[in-house]
């Protein structure tokens, strides 16, 4: 049991700043919400939200190798990561950021994470024999994880992992990516060999992935989808602005999703397939190879749908308008007069 007298002494001994802002250069940081109370690295904190930065000295812009874990067993955790730069040095299966929401039969669990100028590089370190790296950010559990985008954010994965990883085997909850204040927040997620940009690692299905707003760039590698499954795996429940009609229906996310080596831009990794997708208001960008892959696997039409309107695109029409290396831009508009293609 940690008392109000012992907590500051414990915190000072381990370099943990209490009540509000915490600094990653002082060690790994674990934020847990249990019974509605916040604990930071096992020390009772205030009632949140928690802010995590790399350094107390804002002029210090060096990266750190320490990691962040955020876990809500019940209730709601609110955490902001600001000016965080993590380089894991390619340690095998080590993610820079891990977020887990665990709901029970009697309690819900939600983790709200704001990424504000965050970079995580979990790629393989060539100097470390046998290391394969990890995910830039990993989502786990059966609850809801909401990511708010502020500033420019980048997640880079090592071999076998997704940049922003949400494996079906580890997470049956939902991941929502948003820029609710519409301030131009972005995230770029690059998978390692066999991993999706956003979704599953190698051999793992990506599921419960929803992009509500903001600019999202996702690049698979070695058979990984841009958004969806890793190499050899499919994808389930992927949505662009698949939100609540009348609440976020007006949002128009801009999504660039590029699959690799036979994988879809949005959907299954190489050899996998997509089930239950909702592509709503927004702009979908990809290469002609992605359309060829979809057509080869039986897809004929791409449909954007909201509560008020529907736009549909025939894949054969798009393929007839462009060369193999061209890029397509599908935009859902109120006038239902979308831009079909720009070379």
């Amino acid at each position: 049991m940690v008392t109000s007298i012992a907590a500051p002494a414990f915190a000072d001994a381990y370099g943990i700043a209490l009540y509000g802002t915490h600094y990653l250069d002082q060690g790994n940081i674990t934020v847990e919400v249990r019974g509605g109370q916040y604990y930071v690295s096992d020390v009772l904190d205030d009632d949140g939200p928690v802010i995590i930065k790399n350094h107390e000295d804002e002029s210090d812009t060096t990266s750190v190798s320490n990691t962040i874990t955020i876990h809500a067993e019940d209730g709601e955790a609110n955490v902001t990561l600001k000016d965080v730069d993590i380089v894991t040095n390619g340690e095998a299966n080590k993610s820079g950021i891990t977020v887990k929401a665990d709901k029970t039969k009697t309690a819900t669990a939600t983790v709200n994470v704001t990424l504000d100028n965050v970079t995580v590089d979990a790629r393989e370190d060539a100097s470390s024999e046998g290391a394969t790296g990890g995910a830039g950010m990993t989502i786990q559990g059966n609850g809801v994880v909401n990511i708010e985008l502020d500033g420019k954010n980048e997640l880079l994965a090592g071999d076998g992992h997704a940049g922003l990883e949400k494996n079906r085997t580890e997470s049956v909850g939902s991941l929502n990516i948003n820029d609710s204040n519409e301030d131009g927040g972005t995230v770029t997620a690059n998978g390692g060999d066999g991993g999706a940009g956003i979704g599953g690692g190698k051999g793992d299905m990506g599921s419960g992935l929803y992009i509500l707003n903001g600019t999202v760039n996702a690049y698979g590698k070695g058979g990984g989808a841009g958004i969806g499954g890793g190499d050899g795996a499919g994808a389930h429940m992927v949505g662009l602005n698949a939100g609540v009609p009348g609440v976020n229906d007006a949002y128009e996310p801009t999504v660039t999703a590029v699959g690799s080596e036979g994988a879809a831009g949005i959907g299954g990794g190489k050899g996998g397939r997509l089930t239950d997708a909702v592509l709503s208001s927004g702009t979908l960008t990809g290469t002609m190879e992605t359309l060829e892959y979809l057509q080869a696997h039986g897809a004929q039409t791409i449909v954007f749908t909201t509560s008020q309107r529907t736009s549909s695109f025939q894949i054969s029409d798009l393929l007839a308008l462009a060369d193999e290396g061209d890029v397509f831009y599908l935009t859902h508009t109120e006038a239902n007069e979308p831009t079909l293609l720009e070379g």
Side-chain angles (χ1 to χ4, degrees):
M1 178 177 179
V2 179
T3 68
S4 59
I5 296 175
F10 182 96
D12 290 342
Y14 287 87
I16 301 171
L18 279 179
Y19 307 122
T21 303
H22 305 263
Y23 302 101
L24 198 54
D25 61 358
Q26 298 173 357
N28 297 335
I29 294 178
T30 300
V31 179
E32 294 186 274
V33 173
R34 306 191 299 266
Q37 291 185 303
Y38 281 75
Y39 298 81
V40 179
S41 300
D42 291 327
V43 179
L44 181 64
D45 201 87
D46 62 4
D47 58 358
V50 170
I51 299 171
I52 298 175
K53 297 183 176 182
N54 257 30
H55 307 282
E56 185 172 7
D57 179 2
E58 295 185 0
S59 66
D60 188 346
T61 59
T62 58
S63 61
V64 299
S65 60
N66 297 319
T67 62
I68 298 169
T69 301
I70 305 167
H71 183 199
E73 292 184 355
D74 57 68
E76 185 171 301
N78 296 287
V79 181
T80 294
L81 311 183
K82 183 173 177 58
D83 300 325
V84 167
D85 184 0
I86 298 173
V87 177
T88 67
N89 297 317
E91 185 174 330
N93 301 316
K94 178 180 179 180
S95 297
I97 304 167
T98 301
V99 180
K100 187 174 185 179
D102 282 328
K103 68 178 182 179
T104 65
K105 291 182 178 179
T106 58
T108 60
T110 302
V111 178
N112 303 312
V113 182
T114 297
L115 300 182
D116 187 352
N117 294 313
V118 172
T119 299
V120 179
D121 188 346
R123 292 176 296 183
E124 180 177 3
D125 181 359
S127 66
S128 179
E129 185 176 354
T132 58
M137 184 174 184
T138 299
I139 308 299
Q140 300 176 348
N142 58 3
V144 176
V145 175
N146 298 311
I147 295 178
E148 173 70 20
L149 301 178
D150 287 341
K152 182 180 179 180
N153 305 283
E154 187 173 23
L155 304 170
L156 307 169
D159 291 350
H161 292 276
L164 174 50
E165 189 165 276
K166 186 177 182 296
N167 292 325
R168 178 74 173 179
T169 54
E170 297 179 316
S171 173
V172 295
S174 61
L175 168 65
N176 303 306
I177 301 175
N178 205 351
D179 176 18
S180 61
N181 55 19
E182 299 187 276
D183 64 352
T186 70
V187 64
T188 298
N190 290 75
D193 190 42
I198 298 175
K202 187 173 183 179
D204 272 295
M205 174 182 287
S207 67
L209 309 170
Y210 303 101
I211 300 172
L212 307 181
N213 200 15
T215 299
V216 176
N217 307 304
Y219 303 93
K221 185 178 180 181
I227 300 174
D231 182 26
H236 176 69
M237 294 305 296
V238 178
L240 303 187
N241 193 25
V244 180
V247 176
N248 58 13
D249 185 60
Y251 289 173
E252 294 190 356
T254 298
V255 178
T256 300
V258 180
S260 61
E261 300 177 20
I266 296 178
K270 185 177 181 180
R273 65 188 183 93
L274 171 65
T275 59
D276 294 331
V278 180
L279 305 181
S280 300
S281 179
T283 301
L284 176 64
T285 304
T287 64
M288 301 310 294
E289 287 91 339
T290 299
L291 295 178
E292 291 170 349
Y293 174 87
L294 291 174
Q295 187 182 62
H297 286 75
Q300 299 179 7
T301 308
I302 295 175
V303 178
F304 288 72
T305 181
T306 66
S307 60
Q308 299 175 348
R309 58 190 184 275
T310 298
S311 296
S312 64
F313 306 85
Q314 295 299 315
I315 292 176
S316 59
D317 292 344
L318 294 173
L319 288 172
L321 292 174
D323 294 327
E324 184 174 338
D326 284 345
V327 174
F328 65 85
Y329 300 85
L330 308 182
T331 304
H332 185 44
T333 66
E334 290 188 15
N336 198 26
E337 296 177 356
T339 300
L340 293 179
L341 184 71
E342 295 181 8

